Amino acid sequence: MSWFEVIQHNAEEKIDIVARSGFSNPLSPKEVADVVQILAEVLTGKVASKLFEGLSSFGLDSRKLDLGFNFSINPEHMARVEASIGRNELTDHRVTFVMFVFASVDLKHRLDTSLPQGFRQSLSLTEYIQ
């Protein structure tokens, strides 16, 4: 199984990017709670407010993290977002955002090798999306 899948909702002009990874080592209950805290901070931050509409699914246990990110594919909406962030290629930035979220968790709770090599480079997202 791939680390992500894209689910398109044509009638709603939206897509979900569902990404998943396991943890290198099983987490304790306290560490699971810490991951929730990290996700809450990242998903409500400035970059998140510009790049995604919300979560469509959420799964977390001691062994894995599965998140569904909901994005508009309406051309007018996408153009407004690109104008607000001062960057084109919004589709690429959305994938980088998904990797940014997982890399943020990985900083403290190491993820397994299911994510693409180099995904930690996505942590620089906050430097160019203001």
Side-chain angles (χ1 to χ4, degrees):
M1 180 186 311
S2 174
W3 69 272
F4 83 102
E5 67 180 301
V6 177
I7 302 166
Q8 191 157 346
H9 308 284
N10 288 329
E12 301 165 3
E13 293 188 305
K14 296 198 178 274
I15 61 167
D16 293 336
I17 296 178
V18 181
R20 58 190 59 86
S21 180
F23 292 100
S24 291
N25 298 302
L27 302 180
S28 70
K30 184 177 180 177
E31 290 170 320
V32 170
D34 187 53
V35 170
V36 171
Q37 175 89 27
I38 292 167
L39 291 171
E41 290 172 11
V42 172
L43 295 172
T44 59
K46 190 174 187 179
V47 172
S49 69
K50 293 185 179 225
L51 292 180
F52 94 121
E53 283 73 48
L55 290 178
S56 58
S57 62
F58 179 89
L60 171 65
D61 63 33
S62 65
R63 297 190 178 275
K64 66 183 178 337
L65 174 62
D66 297 346
L67 298 172
F69 298 84
N70 190 255
F71 298 101
S72 172
I73 55 173
N74 175 284
E76 292 83 21
H77 179 266
M78 291 178 69
R80 282 193 305 275
V81 172
E82 286 180 335
S84 77
I85 63 174
R87 303 228 176 236
N88 292 327
E89 302 172 346
L90 182 58
T91 303
D92 293 340
H93 297 307
R94 288 172 167 177
V95 173
T96 302
F97 173 71
V98 171
M99 291 295 89
F100 167 74
V101 172
F102 278 81
S104 297
V105 171
D106 180 77
L107 282 172
K108 191 162 183 189
H109 303 284
R110 198 53 95 173
L111 298 171
D112 66 18
T113 59
S114 59
L115 294 168
Q117 190 170 2
F119 80 96
R120 290 175 187 93
Q121 294 172 348
S122 300
L123 289 169
S124 64
L125 183 67
T126 56
E127 295 171 16
Y128 63 93
I129 301 291
Q130 297 298 319

